[in-house]
Coordinates of all heavy atoms in Angstrom, one line a residue:
M1 N 0.8 -1.2 0.0 CA 0.0 0.0 0.0 C 0.9 1.3 0.0 O 0.6 2.2 -0.7 CB -0.9 0.0 1.2 CG -1.8 1.1 1.3 SD -3.1 1.0 0.0 CE -4.3 2.1 0.6
K2 N 1.9 1.2 0.8 CA 2.8 2.4 0.9 C 3.5 2.6 -0.4 O 3.7 3.8 -0.9 CB 3.8 2.2 2.0 CG 3.3 2.4 3.4 CD 4.3 2.3 4.4 CE 3.7 2.4 5.8 NZ 4.7 2.2 6.9
K3 N 3.9 1.5 -1.1 CA 4.6 1.6 -2.4 C 3.6 2.2 -3.4 O 4.0 3.0 -4.2 CB 5.1 0.3 -2.9 CG 6.3 -0.2 -2.2 CD 6.8 -1.5 -2.8 CE 8.1 -1.9 -2.1 NZ 8.6 -3.1 -2.7
L4 N 2.4 1.8 -3.4 CA 1.4 2.3 -4.3 C 1.2 3.8 -4.1 O 1.2 4.6 -5.1 CB 0.1 1.6 -4.2 CG -1.1 2.1 -5.1 CD1 -0.7 1.9 -6.5 CD2 -2.4 1.3 -4.8
L5 N 1.1 4.2 -2.9 CA 0.9 5.6 -2.5 C 2.1 6.5 -3.0 O 1.9 7.5 -3.6 CB 0.6 5.8 -1.0 CG 0.3 7.2 -0.5 CD1 -0.9 7.8 -1.3 CD2 0.1 7.2 1.0
A6 N 3.3 6.0 -2.7 CA 4.5 6.7 -3.1 C 4.6 6.8 -4.6 O 5.0 7.8 -5.1 CB 5.7 5.9 -2.5
S7 N 4.2 5.7 -5.3 CA 4.2 5.7 -6.8 C 3.2 6.8 -7.3 O 3.5 7.5 -8.2 CB 3.9 4.3 -7.3 OG 3.8 4.3 -8.7
L8 N 2.1 6.8 -6.7 CA 1.1 7.8 -7.1 C 1.5 9.2 -6.9 O 1.4 10.1 -7.7 CB -0.3 7.6 -6.4 CG -1.1 6.4 -6.9 CD1 -2.3 6.2 -6.0 CD2 -1.5 6.5 -8.3
I9 N 2.2 9.5 -5.8 CA 2.7 10.8 -5.5 C 3.8 11.2 -6.5 O 3.8 12.3 -7.0 CB 3.2 10.9 -4.0 CG1 2.0 10.8 -3.0 CG2 4.0 12.1 -3.8 CD1 2.4 10.6 -1.6
L10 N 4.7 10.3 -6.8 CA 5.8 10.6 -7.7 C 5.2 10.8 -9.1 O 5.6 11.7 -9.8 CB 6.8 9.4 -7.7 CG 7.7 9.3 -6.5 CD1 8.6 8.1 -6.6 CD2 8.5 10.6 -6.4
S11 N 4.2 10.0 -9.5 CA 3.6 10.2 -10.8 C 2.9 11.5 -10.9 O 3.0 12.2 -11.9 CB 2.6 9.1 -11.1 OG 3.2 7.8 -11.1
T12 N 2.2 11.9 -9.9 CA 1.5 13.2 -9.9 C 2.5 14.4 -9.9 O 2.4 15.3 -10.7 CB 0.7 13.4 -8.6 OG1 -0.3 12.3 -8.6 CG2 -0.1 14.7 -8.6
A13 N 3.6 14.2 -9.2 CA 4.7 15.3 -9.2 C 5.3 15.4 -10.6 O 5.5 16.5 -11.1 CB 5.7 15.0 -8.2
A14 N 5.5 14.3 -11.3 CA 6.1 14.3 -12.6 C 5.2 14.9 -13.6 O 5.6 15.8 -14.4 CB 6.5 12.9 -13.0
V15 N 3.9 14.6 -13.5 CA 3.0 15.2 -14.5 C 2.8 16.7 -14.2 O 2.8 17.5 -15.1 CB 1.6 14.5 -14.3 CG1 0.5 15.3 -15.1 CG2 1.7 13.1 -14.9
S16 N 2.8 17.1 -12.9 CA 2.7 18.5 -12.6 C 3.9 19.3 -13.1 O 3.8 20.4 -13.6 CB 2.6 18.7 -11.1 OG 1.4 18.1 -10.6
G17 N 5.1 18.7 -13.0 CA 6.3 19.3 -13.4 C 6.3 19.5 -14.9 O 6.7 20.6 -15.4
V18 N 5.8 18.6 -15.7 CA 5.7 18.8 -17.1 C 4.7 19.9 -17.5 O 5.0 20.7 -18.3 CB 5.3 17.4 -17.8 CG1 5.0 17.6 -19.3 CG2 6.4 16.4 -17.6
A19 N 3.6 19.9 -16.8 CA 2.6 20.9 -17.1 C 3.2 22.3 -16.7 O 2.9 23.3 -17.5 CB 1.4 20.7 -16.3
M20 N 3.9 22.4 -15.7 CA 4.4 23.7 -15.2 C 5.6 24.2 -16.2 O 5.8 25.3 -16.3 CB 5.0 23.6 -13.8 CG 3.8 23.5 -12.8 SD 4.4 23.2 -11.1 CE 5.5 24.6 -10.9
A21 N 6.2 23.2 -16.8 CA 7.4 23.6 -17.7 C 6.9 24.0 -19.1 O 7.8 24.2 -19.9 CB 8.3 22.4 -17.7
G22 N 5.7 24.2 -19.3 CA 5.1 24.5 -20.6 C 5.7 25.7 -21.3 O 6.7 25.7 -21.9
D23 N 5.0 26.8 -21.2 CA 5.4 28.0 -21.8 C 6.6 28.6 -21.2 O 6.8 28.7 -20.0 CB 4.2 29.1 -21.8 CG 3.1 28.7 -22.7 OD1 3.2 27.7 -23.5 OD2 2.0 29.3 -22.5
K24 N 7.5 29.1 -22.1 CA 8.7 29.8 -21.6 C 8.4 31.2 -21.2 O 8.9 31.8 -20.3 CB 9.8 29.8 -22.7 CG 10.4 28.4 -23.0 CD 11.4 28.5 -24.1 CE 12.0 27.2 -24.5 NZ 11.1 26.5 -25.4
C25 N 7.4 31.8 -22.0 CA 7.0 33.2 -21.7 C 5.5 33.1 -21.4 O 4.7 32.6 -22.2 CB 7.2 34.0 -23.0 SG 9.0 34.0 -23.5
D26 N 5.2 33.7 -20.3 CA 3.8 33.6 -19.9 C 3.1 35.0 -19.8 O 2.3 35.2 -18.9 CB 3.6 32.8 -18.5 CG 4.4 33.5 -17.4 OD1 5.1 34.4 -17.6 OD2 4.3 32.9 -16.3
V27 N 3.4 35.8 -20.7 CA 2.9 37.2 -20.8 C 1.6 37.2 -21.5 O 1.5 36.6 -22.6 CB 3.9 38.1 -21.5 CG1 3.3 39.5 -21.6 CG2 5.2 38.1 -20.8
P28 N 0.5 37.8 -21.0 CA -0.8 37.8 -21.7 C -0.5 38.5 -23.1 O 0.2 39.5 -23.2 CB -1.7 38.7 -20.8 CG -1.1 38.6 -19.4 CD 0.4 38.4 -19.7
Q29 N -1.2 38.0 -24.1 CA -0.9 38.5 -25.4 C -1.3 40.0 -25.6 O -0.6 40.7 -26.4 CB -1.7 37.7 -26.5 CG -1.1 37.8 -27.9 CD -1.6 36.7 -28.8 OE1 -2.5 35.9 -28.4 NE2 -1.0 36.6 -29.9
D30 N -2.2 40.5 -24.8 CA -2.5 41.9 -25.0 C -1.4 42.9 -24.4 O -1.5 44.1 -24.6 CB -3.9 42.3 -24.3 CG -3.9 42.0 -22.8 OD1 -3.1 41.2 -22.3 OD2 -4.8 42.6 -22.1
E31 N -0.4 42.3 -23.8 CA 0.7 43.0 -23.3 C 2.0 42.9 -24.2 O 3.0 43.6 -23.9 CB 1.1 42.6 -21.8 CG 0.0 42.8 -20.8 CD 0.4 42.4 -19.4 OE1 1.6 42.2 -19.2 OE2 -0.6 42.2 -18.6
W32 N 1.9 42.2 -25.2 CA 3.0 42.0 -26.1 C 3.3 43.3 -26.9 O 2.3 44.0 -27.3 CB 2.8 40.9 -27.1 CG 2.7 39.5 -26.6 CD1 2.6 39.1 -25.3 CD2 2.8 38.3 -27.3 NE1 2.6 37.7 -25.2 CE2 2.7 37.2 -26.4 CE3 2.8 38.0 -28.7 CZ2 2.7 35.9 -26.8 CZ3 2.8 36.7 -29.1 CH2 2.8 35.7 -28.2
Q33 N 4.6 43.5 -27.2 CA 4.9 44.6 -28.1 C 4.8 43.9 -29.5 O 4.9 42.7 -29.7 CB 6.3 45.1 -27.8 CG 6.4 45.8 -26.5 CD 7.7 46.5 -26.4 OE1 8.1 47.3 -27.2 NE2 8.5 46.2 -25.3
T34 N 4.8 44.8 -30.5 CA 4.6 44.3 -31.9 C 5.9 43.6 -32.4 O 7.0 43.9 -31.9 CB 4.2 45.4 -32.8 OG1 5.4 46.3 -32.9 CG2 3.0 46.1 -32.4
E35 N 5.7 42.7 -33.4 CA 6.8 42.1 -34.0 C 7.7 43.1 -34.7 O 8.9 43.0 -34.6 CB 6.3 41.1 -35.1 CG 7.4 40.5 -35.9 CD 6.9 39.6 -37.0 OE1 5.8 39.2 -37.0 OE2 7.7 39.3 -37.9
E36 N 7.1 44.2 -35.2 CA 7.9 45.2 -35.9 C 8.8 45.9 -34.8 O 10.0 46.2 -35.1 CB 7.0 46.2 -36.6 CG 6.3 45.7 -37.8 CD 5.1 44.8 -37.4 OE1 4.6 44.9 -36.3 OE2 4.7 44.0 -38.3
A37 N 8.3 46.2 -33.7 CA 9.1 46.9 -32.6 C 10.2 45.9 -32.1 O 11.3 46.4 -31.9 CB 8.2 47.2 -31.4
F38 N 9.9 44.6 -32.0 CA 10.9 43.7 -31.6 C 12.0 43.6 -32.6 O 13.2 43.7 -32.3 CB 10.2 42.3 -31.5 CG 11.3 41.2 -31.3 CD1 11.9 41.1 -30.0 CD2 11.6 40.3 -32.3 CE1 12.9 40.1 -29.9 CE2 12.6 39.4 -32.1 CZ 13.2 39.2 -30.9
R39 N 11.6 43.5 -33.9 CA 12.7 43.4 -35.0 C 13.6 44.6 -34.9 O 14.8 44.5 -35.0 CB 12.0 43.3 -36.3 CG 11.4 41.9 -36.6 CD 10.8 41.9 -38.0 NE 10.3 40.5 -38.4 CZ 11.0 39.6 -39.0 NH1 12.3 39.9 -39.3 NH2 10.5 38.4 -39.3
A40 N 13.0 45.8 -34.8 CA 13.7 47.0 -34.8 C 14.7 47.1 -33.6 O 15.9 47.4 -33.7 CB 12.8 48.3 -34.7
A41 N 14.2 46.6 -32.4 CA 15.1 46.6 -31.2 C 16.2 45.6 -31.3 O 17.4 46.0 -31.0 CB 14.2 46.3 -30.0
I42 N 15.9 44.5 -31.8 CA 17.0 43.4 -31.9 C 18.0 43.7 -33.0 O 19.2 43.5 -32.8 CB 16.4 42.0 -32.0 CG1 17.4 40.9 -31.7 CG2 15.8 41.7 -33.3 CD1 17.2 40.3 -30.4
E43 N 17.5 44.3 -34.1 CA 18.4 44.6 -35.2 C 19.3 45.8 -34.8 O 20.4 45.9 -35.2 CB 17.6 44.9 -36.5 CG 17.1 43.6 -37.0 CD 16.1 43.7 -38.2 OE1 15.8 44.9 -38.5 OE2 15.7 42.7 -38.8
A44 N 18.8 46.7 -34.0 CA 19.6 47.8 -33.5 C 20.7 47.4 -32.6 O 21.7 48.1 -32.4 CB 18.7 48.8 -32.7
K45 N 20.6 46.2 -32.0 CA 21.7 45.6 -31.2 C 22.7 44.8 -32.0 O 23.6 44.2 -31.5 CB 21.1 44.7 -30.1 CG 20.3 45.4 -29.1 CD 19.7 44.5 -28.0 CE 18.9 45.2 -27.0 NZ 18.5 44.3 -25.9
G46 N 22.5 44.8 -33.3 CA 23.4 44.1 -34.2 C 23.0 42.7 -34.6 O 23.8 42.0 -35.2
W47 N 21.8 42.3 -34.3 CA 21.3 40.9 -34.7 C 20.8 41.0 -36.1 O 20.3 42.0 -36.6 CB 20.2 40.5 -33.8 CG 20.7 40.1 -32.4 CD1 21.4 40.8 -31.5 CD2 20.5 38.8 -31.8 NE1 21.6 40.1 -30.4 CE2 21.0 38.8 -30.5 CE3 19.8 37.6 -32.2 CZ2 21.0 37.7 -29.7 CZ3 19.8 36.6 -31.3 CH2 20.4 36.6 -30.1
E48 N 21.0 39.8 -36.8 CA 20.4 39.6 -38.1 C 19.4 38.5 -38.0 O 19.7 37.4 -37.7 CB 21.5 39.3 -39.1 CG 21.0 39.1 -40.5 CD 22.1 38.7 -41.5 OE1 23.3 38.8 -41.1 OE2 21.8 38.3 -42.6
I49 N 18.1 38.8 -38.3 CA 17.0 37.8 -38.2 C 16.9 37.1 -39.5 O 16.6 37.8 -40.5 CB 15.7 38.5 -37.7 CG1 15.9 39.1 -36.4 CG2 14.6 37.4 -37.7 CD1 14.7 40.0 -35.9
K50 N 17.0 35.8 -39.5 CA 16.8 35.0 -40.8 C 15.4 34.4 -40.7 O 14.7 34.3 -41.8 CB 17.8 33.9 -40.9 CG 19.2 34.4 -41.1 CD 19.3 35.0 -42.5 CE 20.7 35.4 -42.8 NZ 20.8 36.1 -44.1
K51 N 14.9 34.0 -39.5 CA 13.6 33.4 -39.4 C 13.0 33.9 -38.1 O 13.7 33.9 -37.1 CB 13.6 31.9 -39.5 CG 12.3 31.2 -39.3 CD 12.4 29.7 -39.5 CE 11.1 29.0 -39.3 NZ 11.2 27.6 -39.3
F52 N 11.7 34.3 -38.1 CA 11.0 34.7 -36.9 C 9.8 33.9 -36.7 O 9.1 33.7 -37.7 CB 10.7 36.2 -37.0 CG 9.8 36.7 -35.9 CD1 10.3 37.2 -34.7 CD2 8.4 36.7 -36.0 CE1 9.5 37.7 -33.7 CE2 7.6 37.1 -35.0 CZ 8.1 37.6 -33.9
K53 N 9.5 33.5 -35.5 CA 8.2 32.9 -35.2 C 7.9 33.0 -33.8 O 8.7 33.5 -33.0 CB 8.2 31.4 -35.7 CG 9.1 30.5 -34.9 CD 9.0 29.0 -35.4 CE 9.6 28.1 -34.5 NZ 9.4 26.7 -34.9
I54 N 6.6 32.6 -33.4 CA 6.2 32.6 -32.0 C 6.1 31.2 -31.6 O 5.5 30.3 -32.3 CB 4.8 33.3 -31.9 CG1 5.0 34.8 -32.3 CG2 4.3 33.2 -30.5 CD1 3.7 35.5 -32.4
D55 N 6.8 30.9 -30.5 CA 6.8 29.5 -29.9 C 6.8 29.6 -28.4 O 7.5 30.3 -27.8 CB 8.1 28.8 -30.4 CG 8.1 27.3 -30.0 OD1 7.0 26.7 -30.0 OD2 9.2 26.8 -29.7
D56 N 5.9 28.8 -27.8 CA 5.8 28.7 -26.3 C 5.5 30.1 -25.7 O 6.0 30.4 -24.7 CB 7.0 28.1 -25.7 CG 7.0 26.6 -25.9 OD1 5.9 26.0 -26.0 OD2 8.1 26.0 -25.8
G57 N 4.8 31.0 -26.5 CA 4.5 32.3 -25.9 C 5.7 33.3 -26.1 O 5.6 34.4 -25.5
C58 N 6.7 32.9 -26.7 CA 7.9 33.7 -26.9 C 8.1 34.1 -28.4 O 7.6 33.4 -29.2 CB 9.2 33.0 -26.5 SG 9.3 32.5 -24.8
Y59 N 8.8 35.2 -28.6 CA 9.3 35.5 -29.9 C 10.6 34.6 -30.1 O 11.5 34.7 -29.3 CB 9.7 37.0 -30.0 CG 8.5 37.9 -30.2 CD1 8.6 39.2 -29.9 CD2 7.3 37.4 -30.6 CE1 7.5 40.1 -30.0 CE2 6.2 38.3 -30.7 CZ 6.3 39.6 -30.4 OH 5.3 40.5 -30.6
E60 N 10.6 33.8 -31.1 CA 11.7 33.0 -31.4 C 12.4 33.4 -32.7 O 11.8 33.7 -33.7 CB 11.3 31.5 -31.6 CG 12.4 30.6 -31.8 CD 11.9 29.1 -32.0 OE1 10.7 28.9 -32.0 OE2 12.8 28.2 -32.1
V61 N 13.7 33.5 -32.6 CA 14.5 34.0 -33.7 C 15.6 33.0 -34.1 O 16.3 32.5 -33.2 CB 15.2 35.4 -33.3 CG1 16.3 35.8 -34.3 CG2 14.2 36.4 -33.1
Y62 N 15.8 32.8 -35.4 CA 16.9 32.1 -35.9 C 17.7 33.1 -36.7 O 17.1 33.8 -37.5 CB 16.4 31.0 -36.9 CG 15.7 29.8 -36.2 CD1 14.3 30.0 -35.9 CD2 16.3 28.7 -35.7 CE1 13.6 28.9 -35.3 CE2 15.6 27.7 -35.1 CZ 14.3 27.8 -34.9 OH 13.6 26.8 -34.3
G63 N 19.0 33.2 -36.5 CA 19.8 34.1 -37.2 C 21.2 34.3 -36.6 O 21.7 33.3 -36.2
Y64 N 21.6 35.5 -36.6 CA 23.0 35.8 -36.1 C 22.9 36.9 -35.0 O 22.3 37.9 -35.2 CB 23.9 36.2 -37.3 CG 24.0 35.2 -38.3 CD1 23.1 35.0 -39.4 CD2 25.1 34.2 -38.2 CE1 23.3 34.0 -40.3 CE2 25.2 33.2 -39.1 CZ 24.3 33.1 -40.2 OH 24.4 32.1 -41.1
D65 N 23.7 36.6 -34.0 CA 23.7 37.6 -32.9 C 24.8 38.7 -33.2 O 25.3 38.7 -34.3 CB 24.0 37.0 -31.5 CG 25.4 36.4 -31.4 OD1 26.2 36.5 -32.3 OD2 25.7 35.8 -30.3
E66 N 25.0 39.6 -32.3 CA 25.9 40.7 -32.5 C 27.3 40.3 -32.7 O 28.2 41.1 -33.2 CB 25.8 41.7 -31.3 CG 26.4 41.3 -30.0 CD 25.5 40.3 -29.2 OE1 24.4 40.0 -29.6 OE2 26.0 39.9 -28.1
K67 N 27.7 39.1 -32.4 CA 29.0 38.5 -32.6 C 29.1 37.7 -33.8 O 30.1 36.9 -34.0 CB 29.5 37.7 -31.4 CG 29.6 38.6 -30.1 CD 30.0 37.7 -28.9 CE 30.0 38.6 -27.7 NZ 30.3 37.8 -26.5
Q68 N 28.0 37.7 -34.6 CA 27.9 36.9 -35.9 C 27.9 35.4 -35.7 O 28.3 34.7 -36.5 CB 29.0 37.4 -36.9 CG 28.9 38.8 -37.3 CD 27.5 39.1 -37.9 OE1 27.1 38.5 -38.8 NE2 26.8 40.1 -37.3
R69 N 27.5 35.0 -34.5 CA 27.3 33.6 -34.2 C 25.9 33.2 -34.6 O 24.9 33.9 -34.4 CB 27.5 33.3 -32.7 CG 28.8 33.7 -32.2 CD 28.9 33.4 -30.7 NE 28.0 34.3 -30.0 CZ 27.9 34.4 -28.7 NH1 28.6 33.7 -27.9 NH2 27.0 35.3 -28.1
R70 N 25.8 32.0 -35.3 CA 24.5 31.5 -35.7 C 23.7 31.1 -34.4 O 24.3 30.2 -33.7 CB 24.6 30.4 -36.7 CG 23.3 30.1 -37.4 CD 23.5 29.2 -38.6 NE 24.1 28.0 -38.2 CZ 24.3 27.0 -39.0 NH1 24.1 27.1 -40.3 NH2 24.8 25.9 -38.5
V71 N 22.5 31.6 -34.2 CA 21.8 31.3 -32.9 C 20.3 31.0 -33.2 O 19.7 31.3 -34.2 CB 21.9 32.5 -32.0 CG1 23.3 32.8 -31.5 CG2 21.2 33.7 -32.5
E72 N 19.8 30.3 -32.2 CA 18.3 30.2 -32.0 C 18.1 30.8 -30.6 O 18.6 30.4 -29.6 CB 17.9 28.7 -32.0 CG 16.4 28.5 -31.7 CD 16.1 27.0 -31.6 OE1 16.9 26.2 -31.9 OE2 14.9 26.8 -31.2
A73 N 17.2 31.8 -30.6 CA 17.0 32.5 -29.3 C 15.5 32.8 -29.1 O 14.8 33.0 -30.0 CB 17.8 33.8 -29.3
Y74 N 15.1 32.8 -27.8 CA 13.8 33.1 -27.4 C 13.7 34.4 -26.6 O 14.6 34.6 -25.7 CB 13.2 31.9 -26.5 CG 13.1 30.6 -27.3 CD1 14.2 29.8 -27.4 CD2 11.9 30.2 -27.8 CE1 14.1 28.6 -28.1 CE2 11.7 29.0 -28.4 CZ 12.8 28.2 -28.6 OH 12.7 27.0 -29.2
F75 N 12.7 35.2 -26.8 CA 12.6 36.5 -26.2 C 11.2 36.7 -25.6 O 10.2 36.3 -26.2 CB 12.9 37.6 -27.1 CG 14.3 37.6 -27.7 CD1 14.7 36.9 -28.8 CD2 15.3 38.4 -27.1 CE1 16.0 36.9 -29.3 CE2 16.6 38.4 -27.5 CZ 16.9 37.7 -28.7
D76 N 11.2 37.4 -24.4 CA 9.9 37.8 -23.8 C 9.3 38.8 -24.8 O 9.9 39.8 -25.1 CB 10.2 38.4 -22.5 CG 8.9 38.8 -21.7 OD1 8.2 39.7 -22.2 OD2 8.6 38.2 -20.7
P77 N 8.0 38.6 -25.2 CA 7.4 39.5 -26.2 C 7.0 40.9 -25.6 O 6.6 41.8 -26.3 CB 6.2 38.7 -26.7 CG 5.9 37.8 -25.6 CD 7.2 37.4 -24.9
K78 N 7.0 41.0 -24.2 CA 6.7 42.2 -23.6 C 7.9 43.1 -23.4 O 7.9 44.3 -23.7 CB 6.0 42.0 -22.3 CG 5.6 43.2 -21.5 CD 4.9 42.9 -20.2 CE 4.5 44.1 -19.4 NZ 3.9 43.8 -18.2
T79 N 9.0 42.5 -22.8 CA 10.2 43.2 -22.4 C 11.3 43.1 -23.4 O 12.3 43.8 -23.3 CB 10.7 42.7 -21.1 OG1 11.0 41.3 -21.2 CG2 9.6 42.9 -20.0
F80 N 11.3 42.1 -24.3 CA 12.3 41.7 -25.2 C 13.5 41.2 -24.5 O 14.6 41.1 -25.1 CB 12.7 42.9 -26.2 CG 11.6 43.4 -27.0 CD1 11.7 44.7 -27.5 CD2 10.5 42.7 -27.3 CE1 10.7 45.2 -28.3 CE2 9.5 43.2 -28.1 CZ 9.6 44.5 -28.6
D81 N 13.4 40.8 -23.2 CA 14.5 40.1 -22.5 C 14.7 38.7 -23.1 O 13.7 38.0 -23.4 CB 14.2 40.0 -21.0 CG 14.2 41.3 -20.3 OD1 14.8 42.2 -20.8 OD2 13.5 41.4 -19.2
M82 N 15.9 38.3 -23.2 CA 16.2 37.0 -23.7 C 15.9 35.9 -22.7 O 16.3 36.1 -21.5 CB 17.7 36.8 -24.1 CG 18.0 35.5 -24.8 SD 19.7 35.3 -25.3 CE 20.0 36.7 -26.2
V83 N 15.2 34.9 -23.1 CA 14.7 33.8 -22.2 C 15.7 32.7 -22.3 O 16.0 32.0 -21.3 CB 13.3 33.4 -22.5 CG1 12.9 32.2 -21.7 CG2 12.3 34.6 -22.3
K84 N 16.1 32.4 -23.6 CA 17.0 31.2 -23.8 C 17.7 31.5 -25.1 O 17.2 32.1 -26.1 CB 16.1 30.0 -23.9 CG 16.9 28.7 -24.3 CD 15.9 27.5 -24.4 CE 16.6 26.3 -24.9 NZ 15.7 25.2 -25.1
M85 N 18.9 31.0 -25.2 CA 19.7 31.1 -26.5 C 20.5 29.8 -26.7 O 21.1 29.3 -25.7 CB 20.6 32.3 -26.5 CG 21.4 32.4 -27.8 SD 22.3 34.0 -28.0 CE 23.8 33.5 -27.2
E86 N 20.5 29.3 -27.9 CA 21.3 28.2 -28.3 C 22.2 28.6 -29.4 O 21.7 29.1 -30.4 CB 20.4 27.0 -28.7 CG 19.5 26.5 -27.6 CD 18.6 25.3 -28.0 OE1 18.8 24.8 -29.2 OE2 17.7 25.0 -27.2
L87 N 23.5 28.3 -29.3 CA 24.4 28.5 -30.4 C 24.4 27.3 -31.3 O 24.5 26.2 -30.9 CB 25.8 28.7 -29.9 CG 26.0 30.0 -29.0 CD1 27.4 30.0 -28.4 CD2 25.7 31.3 -29.8
D88 N 24.3 27.6 -32.6 CA 24.4 26.5 -33.6 C 25.9 26.4 -34.1 O 26.5 27.4 -34.3 CB 23.6 26.8 -34.9 CG 22.1 26.8 -34.6 OD1 21.7 26.1 -33.6 OD2 21.3 27.4 -35.3
D89 N 26.4 25.2 -34.1 CA 27.8 25.0 -34.5 C 27.9 24.7 -36.0 O 27.1 24.3 -36.7 CB 28.4 23.8 -33.8 CG 28.5 24.1 -32.3 OD1 28.7 25.2 -31.9 OD2 28.4 23.1 -31.5

């Protein structure tokens, strides 16, 4: 009985963790800045955008950063703060 209860608790915790790990950016859409404003801000920092899309509630960019490294990066659509960045080799 104790093993079953422990197993149920662990299963519930695992499912809850997956659900909580969903969206990277949880800003209500009515608070987002426009794609045009985002593009202008990021390009002013020296980034080159090759592909833009919205993923997990974030602005997602494929392109080159200010150091000319090929990147995939996620940004908060309200503040334009970087949430995650991966360098492509």
Side-chain angles (χ1 to χ4, degrees):
M1 180 71 160
K2 287 182 182 179
K3 284 185 178 182
L4 177 61
L5 184 56
S7 178
L8 286 172
I9 290 171
L10 288 175
S11 296
T12 303
V15 170
S16 297
V18 170
M20 291 173 56
D23 289 350
K24 292 180 183 82
C25 302
D26 58 357
V27 177
Q29 201 164 10
D30 64 338
E31 295 180 19
W32 290 15
Q33 295 190 55
T34 65
E35 177 184 340
E36 293 77 19
F38 171 75
R39 285 178 175 272
I42 195 106
E43 288 170 354
K45 293 181 179 183
W47 283 58
E48 181 182 348
I49 299 171
K50 293 294 186 182
K51 182 178 178 184
F52 171 90
K53 69 180 192 174
I54 296 171
D55 185 38
D56 285 335
C58 298
Y59 285 160
E60 181 180 5
V61 170
Y62 294 85
Y64 297 89
D65 69 3
E66 71 281 358
K67 296 178 182 175
Q68 297 305 304
R69 299 176 296 185
R70 194 167 60 178
V71 298
E72 174 184 354
Y74 295 82
F75 295 86
D76 182 294
K78 179 180 179 179
T79 63
F80 301 155
D81 290 337
M82 187 182 303
V83 175
K84 178 182 174 183
M85 182 172 85
E86 295 176 11
L87 296 174
D88 291 337
D89 294 329

